[in-house]
Amino acid sequence: MSPRSALNRSLLALAGLVLLGGGLLILFAGLDLYRRHDLVPPAGWPLTTPVDVLLGSADRARWSSQGWWWWPAVIAALALTALLALGWLLAQLSRRRPGFLPVGGTPPQEGVELRDRALSDAIAAEAGALPDVDDAAVRITGRPARHRTRIRLTLTPAGTPGATLAALCDGPLSTARRSTGLPDPPTEVRLEVSRHRPHRVE
């Protein structure tokens, strides 16, 4: 899991817990579940009956008497929270795949682009045909100018990681570089070994 994914999941989990807690608090108070089921909420617990409000008149008067800075501070905090949430949302909506990659060469081919999925499928097909490779999956991420290749190879039990990596670099990755004219992007290779199927002896 990448640091970005871990951060996103943590933020989503935190936001979900806050929304779930607030929703349950309002639901218990609105349906008067404390009284109906003889539940005793903790002392100072907000919203315990349907007529309760989150911020009463006394609280509003107490905070309003703090001075002129109170409302501008609240508005600034809310605006900052909204901007941070909007920035995070836009970051999630941004493309994580380059979409199309410019085809290079000598001279560079202007206006000629290659779909990232087509390139990843071609690399996966050639990598899957390597000796001692049982399965191959390729994903290209990032921006067109700074894309990254992630490869997952499943080796047979007889496969050798060193030989497979050398064959991958000299074969599929070299072919992709010659075909597209693009420089070698940062490449992450994950190797797995397929499990033995138990042999039944009769």
Side-chain angles (χ1 to χ4, degrees):
M1 183 187 301
S2 64
R4 179 177 179 179
S5 298
L7 177 61
N8 288 342
R9 293 184 182 184
S10 300
L11 291 176
L12 284 175
L14 180 61
L17 289 175
V18 171
L19 292 176
L20 178 62
L24 290 176
L25 188 68
I26 296 174
L27 181 66
F28 269 64
L31 298 179
D32 201 13
L33 296 181
Y34 296 106
R35 183 184 59 81
R36 290 183 180 182
H37 298 281
D38 296 327
L39 299 176
V40 180
W45 196 256
L47 302 178
T48 57
T49 64
V51 297
D52 285 346
V53 293
L54 188 61
L55 192 63
S57 301
D59 294 327
R60 292 197 301 269
R62 178 166 59 88
W63 288 112
S64 300
S65 63
Q66 297 298 318
W68 63 270
W69 58 270
W70 169 246
W71 287 113
V74 172
I75 294 174
L78 293 176
L80 180 61
T81 303
L83 288 176
L84 290 176
L86 180 61
W88 178 77
L89 177 61
L90 293 177
Q92 305 314 304
L93 295 178
S94 63
R95 296 183 64 91
R96 295 187 180 184
R97 297 176 62 96
F100 292 90
L101 299 171
V103 176
T106 307
Q109 304 296 316
E110 294 185 2
V112 179
E113 294 180 328
L114 176 65
R115 192 172 183 84
D116 63 338
R117 191 176 298 276
L119 180 59
S120 62
D121 289 345
I123 297 175
E126 189 173 352
L130 293 175
D132 298 324
V133 174
D134 192 30
D135 184 51
V138 179
R139 180 177 175 84
I140 299 177
T141 59
R143 299 178 181 178
R146 299 180 61 183
H147 62 281
R148 184 181 186 90
T149 305
R150 302 178 185 273
I151 303 175
R152 180 182 56 80
L153 297 180
T154 302
L155 306 182
T156 62
T160 305
T164 303
L165 286 177
L168 177 67
C169 295
D170 296 337
L173 295 181
S174 179
T175 302
R177 182 177 64 251
R178 291 195 309 269
S179 301
T180 62
L182 297 172
D184 288 328
T187 302
E188 175 185 330
V189 181
R190 178 175 297 180
L191 299 178
E192 301 175 355
V193 179
S194 59
R195 296 182 177 180
H196 284 282
R197 288 189 176 181
H199 298 283
R200 184 175 180 180
V201 179
E202 297 181 356

